[in-house]
Amino acid sequence: MKPRSLLEKISNFSNSLEILKTHFFTVPFLVGFNILTVLILGVLSIYAKLNNKGDGVERLFSDPFNFWFPYEGILTGVSEVLGCISVAICAFTFGLLRQKQPRSRSSIFLFFSALLLGILYLDDRFRMTLILSRLGISKKLIYLCYGSGVFLYIFNFWRYIKTTPYLPLAAAFVLFAISRFEDILNSRSIGLHAMLEDGTKLLALVNMALYFWHVCHQEIEQHFQQSEQR
Protein backbone atom coordinates (compact mmCIF):
# COMPACT_ATOMS: atom_id res chain seq x y z
CA MET A 1 0.00 0.00 0.00
CA LYS A 2 1.49 3.30 -1.11
CA PRO A 3 1.88 5.79 1.77
CA ARG A 4 -0.09 9.00 1.35
CA SER A 5 1.81 12.18 0.66
CA LEU A 6 1.81 15.14 3.01
CA LEU A 7 -0.38 17.12 0.59
CA GLU A 8 -2.99 14.34 0.55
CA LYS A 9 -3.05 14.24 4.35
CA ILE A 10 -3.48 18.02 4.53
CA SER A 11 -6.24 17.86 1.91
CA ASN A 12 -8.08 15.10 3.79
CA PHE A 13 -7.73 17.01 7.03
CA SER A 14 -9.14 20.17 5.39
CA ASN A 15 -12.07 18.19 4.00
CA SER A 16 -12.77 16.75 7.44
CA LEU A 17 -12.74 20.24 8.92
CA GLU A 18 -15.19 21.43 6.27
CA ILE A 19 -17.53 18.52 7.05
CA LEU A 20 -17.37 19.27 10.78
CA LYS A 21 -17.94 22.96 10.09
CA THR A 22 -20.98 22.17 7.95
CA HIS A 23 -22.49 19.94 10.64
CA PHE A 24 -21.69 22.48 13.34
CA PHE A 25 -23.54 25.28 11.58
CA THR A 26 -26.53 23.07 10.74
CA VAL A 27 -28.06 23.42 14.21
CA PRO A 28 -29.35 26.97 14.88
CA PHE A 29 -27.69 28.84 17.75
CA LEU A 30 -25.17 26.01 18.28
CA VAL A 31 -22.17 28.22 17.56
CA GLY A 32 -23.45 31.15 19.61
CA PHE A 33 -24.28 29.12 22.71
CA ASN A 34 -20.99 27.22 22.59
CA ILE A 35 -18.95 30.40 22.24
CA LEU A 36 -20.92 32.10 25.02
CA THR A 37 -20.43 29.13 27.36
CA VAL A 38 -16.70 28.94 26.64
CA LEU A 39 -16.37 32.70 27.25
CA ILE A 40 -18.18 32.48 30.59
CA LEU A 41 -16.04 29.54 31.72
CA GLY A 42 -12.91 31.32 30.49
CA VAL A 43 -13.73 34.51 32.40
CA LEU A 44 -14.43 32.47 35.55
CA SER A 45 -11.13 30.62 35.17
CA ILE A 46 -9.15 33.85 34.71
CA TYR A 47 -10.91 35.46 37.68
CA ALA A 48 -10.22 32.43 39.88
CA LYS A 49 -6.58 32.37 38.82
CA LEU A 50 -5.95 36.08 39.40
CA ASN A 51 -7.79 36.23 42.73
CA ASN A 52 -6.95 32.76 44.03
CA LYS A 53 -10.65 31.81 44.10
CA GLY A 54 -10.46 28.28 42.79
CA ASP A 55 -12.57 26.97 45.67
CA GLY A 56 -15.29 29.50 44.82
CA VAL A 57 -15.46 28.28 41.23
CA GLU A 58 -15.56 24.69 42.46
CA ARG A 59 -18.64 25.50 44.55
CA LEU A 60 -20.46 26.52 41.37
CA PHE A 61 -20.20 22.91 40.19
CA SER A 62 -20.57 21.17 43.55
CA ASP A 63 -23.26 18.51 43.94
CA PRO A 64 -26.02 19.21 46.50
CA PHE A 65 -25.48 15.81 48.08
CA ASN A 66 -25.39 14.80 51.74
CA PHE A 67 -23.64 11.45 52.28
CA TRP A 68 -25.42 10.82 55.58
CA PHE A 69 -28.86 11.73 54.19
CA PRO A 70 -28.82 10.72 50.49
CA TYR A 71 -32.58 11.29 50.22
CA GLU A 72 -32.19 14.94 51.22
CA GLY A 73 -33.72 17.23 48.62
CA ILE A 74 -34.84 14.37 46.36
CA LEU A 75 -38.43 15.65 46.04
CA THR A 76 -37.12 19.15 45.35
CA GLY A 77 -35.10 17.64 42.50
CA VAL A 78 -38.20 15.89 41.17
CA SER A 79 -40.09 19.21 41.28
CA GLU A 80 -37.33 20.93 39.31
CA VAL A 81 -37.34 18.19 36.66
CA LEU A 82 -41.14 18.40 36.29
CA GLY A 83 -40.97 22.19 35.97
CA CYS A 84 -38.28 21.91 33.32
CA ILE A 85 -40.33 19.31 31.39
CA SER A 86 -43.33 21.65 31.14
CA VAL A 87 -41.19 24.52 29.86
CA ALA A 88 -39.33 22.32 27.38
CA ILE A 89 -42.35 20.66 25.76
CA CYS A 90 -44.20 23.99 25.44
CA ALA A 91 -41.17 25.66 23.85
CA PHE A 92 -40.53 22.71 21.52
CA THR A 93 -44.15 22.48 20.39
CA PHE A 94 -44.29 26.23 19.80
CA GLY A 95 -41.15 25.99 17.68
CA LEU A 96 -42.74 23.22 15.63
CA LEU A 97 -46.11 24.92 15.14
CA ARG A 98 -44.72 28.34 14.26
CA GLN A 99 -43.13 26.92 11.11
CA LYS A 100 -46.58 26.47 9.53
CA GLN A 101 -48.91 28.43 11.82
CA PRO A 102 -46.90 31.29 13.35
CA ARG A 103 -49.96 33.25 14.48
CA SER A 104 -52.33 30.47 15.44
CA ARG A 105 -53.97 30.70 18.85
CA SER A 106 -52.37 27.44 19.98
CA SER A 107 -48.82 28.49 19.09
CA ILE A 108 -49.24 31.87 20.84
CA PHE A 109 -50.71 30.08 23.87
CA LEU A 110 -47.76 27.70 24.05
CA PHE A 111 -45.28 30.55 23.64
CA PHE A 112 -46.67 32.48 26.61
CA SER A 113 -47.06 29.23 28.56
CA ALA A 114 -43.34 28.53 28.08
CA LEU A 115 -42.52 32.14 29.03
CA LEU A 116 -44.65 32.12 32.20
CA LEU A 117 -43.53 28.65 33.31
CA GLY A 118 -39.92 29.55 32.50
CA ILE A 119 -40.05 32.60 34.77
CA LEU A 120 -41.61 30.55 37.58
CA TYR A 121 -39.04 27.80 37.08
CA LEU A 122 -36.09 30.23 37.18
CA ASP A 123 -37.53 31.86 40.29
CA ASP A 124 -37.84 28.49 42.03
CA ARG A 125 -34.51 27.06 40.84
CA PHE A 126 -32.37 30.10 41.57
CA ARG A 127 -34.33 31.29 44.63
CA MET A 128 -34.98 34.70 43.10
CA THR A 129 -37.86 35.52 45.46
CA LEU A 130 -35.70 34.68 48.47
CA ILE A 131 -32.83 36.82 47.16
CA LEU A 132 -35.13 39.77 46.44
CA SER A 133 -36.77 39.46 49.87
CA ARG A 134 -33.32 39.60 51.49
CA LEU A 135 -32.73 42.84 49.55
CA GLY A 136 -35.81 44.37 51.15
CA ILE A 137 -38.51 43.62 48.56
CA SER A 138 -41.63 42.16 50.15
CA LYS A 139 -42.58 38.61 49.21
CA LYS A 140 -46.20 39.75 49.08
CA LEU A 141 -45.35 42.25 46.35
CA ILE A 142 -43.43 39.61 44.36
CA TYR A 143 -46.26 37.08 44.63
CA LEU A 144 -48.74 39.82 43.68
CA CYS A 145 -46.76 40.36 40.46
CA TYR A 146 -46.74 36.62 39.72
CA GLY A 147 -50.46 36.39 40.52
CA SER A 148 -51.20 39.28 38.16
CA GLY A 149 -49.19 37.55 35.43
CA VAL A 150 -51.16 34.32 35.91
CA PHE A 151 -54.46 36.24 35.88
CA LEU A 152 -53.58 37.99 32.60
CA TYR A 153 -52.47 34.66 31.15
CA ILE A 154 -55.79 32.97 31.99
CA PHE A 155 -57.83 36.03 30.94
CA ASN A 156 -56.21 36.22 27.50
CA PHE A 157 -56.25 32.49 26.73
CA TRP A 158 -59.44 31.38 28.45
CA ARG A 159 -61.22 30.66 25.17
CA TYR A 160 -58.44 28.33 24.08
CA ILE A 161 -58.04 26.77 27.53
CA LYS A 162 -61.77 25.88 27.55
CA THR A 163 -61.21 23.70 24.47
CA THR A 164 -58.66 21.60 26.40
CA PRO A 165 -59.05 19.28 29.42
CA TYR A 166 -58.17 22.18 31.72
CA LEU A 167 -58.91 20.58 35.12
CA PRO A 168 -55.23 19.70 35.80
CA LEU A 169 -54.21 23.27 34.88
CA ALA A 170 -56.81 24.76 37.23
CA ALA A 171 -55.73 22.38 40.00
CA ALA A 172 -52.09 23.33 39.42
CA PHE A 173 -52.75 27.06 39.81
CA VAL A 174 -54.82 26.50 42.98
CA LEU A 175 -52.06 24.34 44.47
CA PHE A 176 -49.44 26.94 43.53
CA ALA A 177 -51.52 29.58 45.33
CA ILE A 178 -51.71 27.40 48.47
CA SER A 179 -47.95 26.89 48.32
CA ARG A 180 -47.24 30.63 48.08
CA PHE A 181 -49.68 31.50 50.89
CA GLU A 182 -47.97 28.96 53.12
CA ASP A 183 -44.61 30.51 52.30
CA ILE A 184 -45.93 33.85 53.56
CA LEU A 185 -47.73 32.47 56.64
CA ASN A 186 -44.97 29.98 57.56
CA SER A 187 -46.63 27.41 59.85
CA ARG A 188 -44.91 26.51 63.09
CA SER A 189 -45.01 22.76 62.41
CA ILE A 190 -42.01 21.85 60.23
CA GLY A 191 -43.67 18.81 58.67
CA LEU A 192 -46.95 20.65 58.01
CA HIS A 193 -45.05 23.57 56.50
CA ALA A 194 -43.12 21.28 54.16
CA MET A 195 -46.28 19.54 52.98
CA LEU A 196 -48.30 22.73 52.50
CA GLU A 197 -45.51 24.59 50.70
CA ASP A 198 -43.38 22.02 48.92
CA GLY A 199 -45.85 19.11 48.80
CA THR A 200 -48.56 21.19 47.14
CA LYS A 201 -45.98 22.62 44.73
CA LEU A 202 -44.89 19.10 43.74
CA LEU A 203 -48.51 18.07 43.14
CA ALA A 204 -49.07 21.25 41.13
CA LEU A 205 -46.08 20.50 38.91
CA VAL A 206 -47.28 16.94 38.33
CA ASN A 207 -50.64 18.26 37.10
CA MET A 208 -48.96 21.00 35.07
CA ALA A 209 -46.62 18.56 33.31
CA LEU A 210 -49.47 16.12 32.53
CA TYR A 211 -51.68 18.91 31.18
CA PHE A 212 -49.09 20.39 28.83
CA TRP A 213 -47.87 16.95 27.78
CA HIS A 214 -51.43 16.10 26.70
CA VAL A 215 -52.08 19.47 25.01
CA CYS A 216 -48.77 19.48 23.17
CA HIS A 217 -49.27 15.88 22.05
CA GLN A 218 -52.67 16.78 20.59
CA GLU A 219 -51.32 19.88 18.84
CA ILE A 220 -48.39 17.99 17.29
CA GLU A 221 -50.67 15.15 16.17
CA GLN A 222 -53.08 17.64 14.59
CA HIS A 223 -50.15 19.45 12.96
CA PHE A 224 -48.92 16.26 11.26
CA GLN A 225 -52.44 15.29 10.17
CA GLN A 226 -52.85 18.67 8.47
CA SER A 227 -49.43 18.32 6.84
CA GLU A 228 -50.36 14.89 5.43
CA GLN A 229 -53.64 16.20 4.04
CA ARG A 230 -51.77 18.92 2.16
Side-chain angles (χ1 to χ4, degrees):
M1 183 176 178
K2 184 179 178 181
R4 292 183 298 177
S5 65
L6 180 61
L7 290 175
E8 289 178 336
K9 291 180 180 179
I10 294 174
S11 177
N12 289 332
F13 180 70
S14 299
N15 291 335
S16 299
L17 287 178
E18 285 298 323
I19 293 172
L20 290 173
K21 181 180 177 182
T22 301
H23 281 283
F24 199 69
F25 281 93
T26 300
V27 182
F29 310 114
L30 184 62
V31 176
F33 278 113
N34 274 275
I35 292 175
L36 180 61
T37 304
V38 170
L39 285 174
I40 292 173
L41 295 175
V43 170
L44 285 173
S45 300
I46 294 171
Y47 171 80
K49 185 67 176 178
L50 294 177
N51 296 279
N52 195 23
K53 296 287 186 178
D55 57 336
V57 174
E58 185 180 4
R59 288 194 189 96
L60 296 174
F61 296 97
S62 61
D63 296 322
F65 176 73
N66 187 330
F67 177 79
W68 301 106
F69 302 98
Y71 60 85
E72 190 173 277
I74 189 170
L75 292 181
T76 297
V78 171
S79 296
E80 291 173 354
V81 170
L82 288 171
C84 190
I85 286 174
S86 298
V87 177
I89 59 176
C90 285
F92 174 80
T93 308
F94 163 73
L96 180 66
L97 296 180
R98 70 184 293 270
Q99 297 176 8
K100 298 291 184 182
Q101 304 167 330
R103 296 192 177 182
S104 67
R105 196 63 176 167
S106 56
S107 62
I108 296 173
F109 168 73
L110 291 173
F111 170 77
F112 281 99
S113 297
L115 181 63
L116 177 64
L117 296 176
I119 293 172
L120 295 175
Y121 173 77
L122 291 175
D123 176 271
D124 184 57
R125 181 64 185 84
F126 296 104
R127 307 295 186 262
M128 291 165 57
T129 296
L130 180 60
I131 293 172
L132 292 174
S133 65
R134 294 289 175 85
L135 295 175
I137 301 175
S138 172
K139 283 186 177 181
K140 295 179 181 179
L141 178 61
I142 298 171
Y143 291 150
L144 178 62
C145 292
Y146 285 145
S148 300
V150 171
F151 174 78
L152 291 173
Y153 169 81
I154 295 174
F155 179 79
N156 282 284
F157 295 108
W158 176 240
R159 289 184 180 179
Y160 176 82
I161 293 172
K162 284 196 301 183
T163 64
T164 67
Y166 59 85
L167 183 60
L169 182 66
F173 282 133
V174 171
L175 290 165
F176 273 131
I178 295 173
S179 175
R180 296 307 92 191
F181 275 123
E182 175 57 26
D183 185 33
I184 295 173
L185 297 175
N186 199 359
S187 300
R188 294 182 179 180
S189 173
I190 297 176
L192 180 62
H193 174 72
M195 285 300 173
L196 288 178
E197 182 180 359
D198 299 312
T200 53
K201 182 176 70 176
L202 174 60
L203 188 56
L205 289 168
V206 169
N207 281 275
M208 189 79 73
L210 291 173
Y211 170 77
F212 282 109
W213 186 283
H214 179 76
V215 170
C216 290
H217 179 270
Q218 284 190 329
E219 290 296 338
I220 291 174
E221 188 176 33
Q222 185 177 356
H223 170 78
F224 282 121
Q225 286 176 353
Q226 293 175 351
S227 298
E228 290 175 358
Q229 290 173 0
R230 293 173 186 172

